[in-house]
Amino acid sequence: MFGVVFPNRSFPMDISAFLQIDTFHWILDMNTFVGEAYDQVREVCIFLLNNFTLPPDKALSIYIQSPGSPFLFCGAVTLSRPSAVLSLPWPEPGEQLQLTGADSTPISAKIGVSVEDLASLPSLDVAAEKKIERMAMKVGENLFNFMQSFCGVDGSRLIVPMDILDRWFKKFQDRAKCDPQYLKGFTL
């Protein structure tokens, strides 16, 4: 049905490495895979195997769960996108962290795989969305710092020249034209 590889960490693993919860859900216990260093595993490559046909309106979704935290969506594969390398942004362990469950087994981080309706999923390009978000934040910070250097204070108000946005935008465009590496600095 599917396989996964943790780049620089594992050989390809098929579905047999996962515990099947029901017909459409599987769990990989990260304790059995890497122990407590789960948060060092930053990427997973998931792929559909040749003999598996996923319906066109379905997706194979990947979720991660730190101990004591809810599952977090990371991405998915579909028939039109049969493989993907996904970032694993492990959340901090939950506040109610217990080291063992009721039966004294250790609670660990997990990777969940689920067959779901494609229409019900968020955007499949989570990494690109995060990259755009980081870039927007850095551009906004650049604008703020530029404006702050021209600010005056009048009581509780900041006073800036009327043409400050035009000046910043011209400087931003000129620098991007002169230095092709300049904009790449905003995406790191």
Side-chain angles (χ1 to χ4, degrees):
M1 184 171 200
F2 68 89
V4 297
V5 172
F6 296 97
N8 301 317
R9 294 239 177 215
S10 76
F11 292 103
M13 298 185 290
D14 67 8
I15 195 171
S16 66
F18 287 73
L19 173 65
Q20 186 166 3
I21 305 302
D22 60 34
T23 308
F24 300 114
H25 297 91
W26 299 265
I27 297 281
L28 177 65
D29 184 338
M30 292 302 283
N31 254 11
T32 61
F33 178 61
V34 292
E36 294 179 12
Y38 68 88
D39 58 342
Q40 301 302 308
V41 179
R42 294 297 193 188
E43 291 181 318
V44 63
C45 174
I46 183 166
F47 49 92
L48 298 176
L49 296 174
N50 291 337
N51 61 350
F52 179 67
T53 306
L54 192 64
D57 63 334
K58 299 289 185 186
L60 200 59
S61 303
I62 295 285
Y63 294 85
I64 57 174
Q65 181 185 43
S66 292
S69 297
F71 277 97
L72 175 69
F73 177 75
C74 294
V77 291
T78 63
L79 278 182
S80 62
R81 184 180 179 217
S83 65
V85 176
L86 304 172
S87 295
L88 301 177
W90 293 101
E92 291 294 319
E95 304 248 340
Q96 309 295 330
L97 182 60
Q98 295 177 310
L99 297 179
T100 59
D103 61 353
S104 298
T105 57
I107 295 176
S108 64
K110 295 175 178 56
I111 292 184
V113 178
S114 175
V115 176
E116 299 181 15
D117 289 329
L118 186 57
S120 70
L121 297 177
S123 169
L124 295 185
D125 204 347
V126 174
E129 286 181 2
K130 293 287 184 192
K131 191 174 183 179
I132 290 167
E133 183 180 324
R134 280 193 308 273
M135 183 175 172
M137 293 296 288
K138 287 184 178 185
V139 169
E141 184 179 341
N142 181 277
L143 172 60
F144 176 79
N145 290 337
F146 184 81
M147 289 177 66
Q148 195 174 30
S149 66
F150 292 94
C151 283
V153 178
D154 179 22
S156 64
R157 296 179 184 197
L158 294 176
I159 308 297
V160 295
M162 288 193 54
D163 67 341
I164 193 75
L165 288 175
D166 292 330
R167 289 166 50 188
W168 169 79
F169 193 59
K170 180 165 178 21
K171 181 180 176 184
F172 191 83
Q173 287 178 315
D174 290 345
R175 182 125 185 232
K177 286 178 190 172
C178 293
D179 181 5
Q181 297 299 314
Y182 179 65
L183 290 178
K184 289 182 182 174
F186 285 93
T187 60
L188 300 174

